[in-house]
Structure formats: structure tokens, C-alpha cells
């Protein structure tokens, strides 16, 4: 497992990679003309949401459990495990984040689909790390894509929150935070965004 000290801010990541944050019009894929959820998938999402809620009620979940209970079923429902998609798992990255006087430690696990979609799952020890703490590293992953002139997308989650990122030609934008722990409709909305992105990166 790689070890990485993530101390840079989003502004520092922008400077390092020459990135600029774009307006809402740049990243319409997370809110415009999203595909509808069919009844069968809605039933599966309801089961997924209730299952996640049940296990999450017992305390914070480890990254591997979030991957098993939430991320993998969500990717399945969105069709991202089926042709033409190919998936590869990257090596986990251990992270250390300075948060004032406290040092927070955690881990980033990531999956890459079609070289254009990165799924980033964030795990923390004792304290829940915000999905935003993984954004600078996510921008670095997206910049490592072989096709940076094409739209590249990331989905960041710690289980409780889901955020989507789009990067193209050194411009990036971020979706709102989806909070599947709060309501089932939030999980459905995140799934619709994934389905929309799947249509684009095929």
C-alpha cells in the first residue's frame, strides 16, 4: 500500500496542475436530463438503502464494508460492471491529513472504469473524513488519465456522502453533495448521475 501525505488544498492542486474551476454550465451531467430509474432498479435501491442504513446505525463502517454494501451494488445497478465497461482496481493509498492540531489518518481505495471514470472510496480511522479531503488527490488521478482532453469523471464517497467531479482540458467542476444516509431519494439521485456518466464514458 502506498503512503501519501495529503496536505495540499484545492487551491494548491489547481496551481500544481494548472487547473481552473468552471461554472455550473460546464458540469451539467450531474443535474440535467438524467435518466429515469426503472421500477426494478428502484426496488433494488430501496433494499440497498435499508441495508446500508441498518449496518451504518452500528457505527462508522470500514472502507471495505462501504465498498461491499454501497459502492459495488450502486455500480451494478448503474450497469458499470457490464460490457462495454472494464474495471481495474488501483493500489490503495494511505493518507495523512493535518487538520489543525489533529492528524487524521485514513485510506483511499479506487476503481477505474474505461480510463475515464474514477471511483474513490475514503476510509478514516476513528473520525469520519470529509469527501472534500480527497478532492486534491482525485484531481491528480483525473489528470493521470490518458485522455485529459476528453471528459473524465470521479465519484468520491465516504459512505455517508457522495460527490461527483468532472475534469476536461484542465477545467473542472463539482456536483452538490448527495447524502444517501439521509433519504432513499438521495441514493436514487446519485444512481441517476452514475447512469448519465455511464452513457458518456462508454
Amino acid at each position: 500500500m502506498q503512503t501519501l501525505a495529503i496536505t495540499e488544498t484545492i487551491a494548491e492542486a489547481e496551481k500544481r496542475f494548472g487547473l481552473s474551476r468552471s461554472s455550473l454550465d460546464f458540469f451539467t451531467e450531474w443535474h440535467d436530463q438524467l435518466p429515469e430509474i426503472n421500477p426494478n432498479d428502484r426496488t433494488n435501491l430501496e433494499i440497498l438503502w435499508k441495508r446500508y442504513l441498518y449496518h451504518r446505525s452500528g457505527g462508522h463502517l470500514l472502507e471495505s464494508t462501504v465498498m461491499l454494501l454501497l459502492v459495488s451494488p450502486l455500480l451494478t445497478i448503474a450497469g458499470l460492471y457490464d460490457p462495454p465497461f472494464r474495471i481495474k482496481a488501483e493500489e490503495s493509498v494511505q493518507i495523512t491529513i493535518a487538520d489543525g492540531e489533529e492528524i487524521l489518518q485514513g485510506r483511499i481505495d479506487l476503481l477505474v472504469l474505461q480510463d475515464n471514470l474514477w471511483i474513490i472510496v475514503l476510509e478514516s480511522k476513528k473520525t469520519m473524513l470529509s469527501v472534500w479531503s480527497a478532492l486534491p488527490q482525485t484531481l491528480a488521478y483525473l489528470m493521470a488519465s490518458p485522455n485529459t482532453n476528453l471528459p473524465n469523471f470521479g465519484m468520491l464517497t465516504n459512505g455517508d456522502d457522495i460527490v461527483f467531479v468532472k475534469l476536461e482540458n484542465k477545467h473542472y467542476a463539482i456536483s452538490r453533495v448527495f447524502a444517501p444516509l439521509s433519504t432513499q431519494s438521495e441514493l436514487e439521485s446519485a444512481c441517476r448521475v452514475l447512469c448519465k456518466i455511464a452513457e458518456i464514458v462508454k
Side-chain angles (χ1 to χ4, degrees):
M1 181 187 298
Q2 301 177 29
T3 300
L4 180 67
I6 299 180
T7 56
E8 65 186 345
T9 63
I10 295 171
E12 289 169 332
E14 289 175 346
K15 183 177 180 181
R16 176 188 292 187
F17 299 110
L19 302 175
S20 61
R21 186 166 176 176
S22 293
S23 66
L24 185 67
D25 292 339
F26 174 74
F27 189 10
T28 59
E29 294 87 350
W30 75 264
H31 61 82
D32 189 32
Q33 297 181 338
L34 298 178
E36 294 298 324
I37 301 293
N38 66 48
N40 185 56
D41 287 342
R42 179 167 281 112
T43 298
N44 288 331
L45 284 167
E46 181 181 5
I47 294 168
L48 168 58
W49 182 71
K50 289 180 178 178
R51 183 182 296 139
Y52 181 76
L53 214 62
Y54 168 74
H55 290 283
R56 181 63 177 83
S57 66
H60 288 313
L61 300 175
L62 296 178
E63 170 275 334
S64 57
T65 309
V66 171
M67 187 74 79
L68 184 68
L69 288 176
L70 181 71
V71 176
S72 188
L74 194 57
L75 295 179
T76 299
I77 293 169
L80 287 163
Y81 284 149
D82 301 320
F85 296 102
R86 297 279 183 183
I87 192 166
K88 61 181 178 179
E90 296 288 323
E91 187 175 354
S92 297
V93 176
Q94 191 75 29
I95 64 171
T96 303
I97 300 171
D99 181 23
E101 297 180 357
E102 188 178 8
I103 302 297
L104 304 178
Q105 294 189 332
R107 187 174 77 173
I108 294 175
D109 267 23
L110 60 142
L111 304 173
V112 186
L113 297 100
Q114 299 297 89
D115 289 327
N116 295 98
L117 174 58
W118 298 70
I119 309 297
I120 289 85
V121 183
L122 184 64
E123 176 194 341
S124 57
K125 307 295 185 185
K126 297 181 181 178
T127 304
M128 176 67 75
L129 286 174
S130 163
V131 289
W132 301 113
S133 61
L135 182 57
Q137 185 63 19
T138 299
L139 292 173
Y141 290 142
L142 296 179
M143 283 298 296
S145 168
N147 301 307
T148 54
N149 59 321
L150 298 175
N152 287 272
F153 299 92
M155 184 186 91
L156 297 73
T157 185
N158 57 9
D160 290 1
D161 298 321
I162 297 173
V163 172
F164 295 93
V165 182
K166 177 184 177 181
L167 184 144
E168 184 179 6
N169 292 322
K170 295 199 172 184
H171 295 279
Y172 78 95
I174 304 165
S175 74
R176 73 168 177 87
V177 176
F178 295 86
L181 191 61
S182 61
T183 64
Q184 181 184 334
S185 65
E186 284 288 275
L187 185 60
E188 287 186 12
S189 296
C191 186
R192 293 176 70 197
V193 176
L194 267 181
C195 290
K196 178 75 171 185
I197 292 173
E199 294 174 355
I200 296 166
V201 301
K202 278 183 179 177

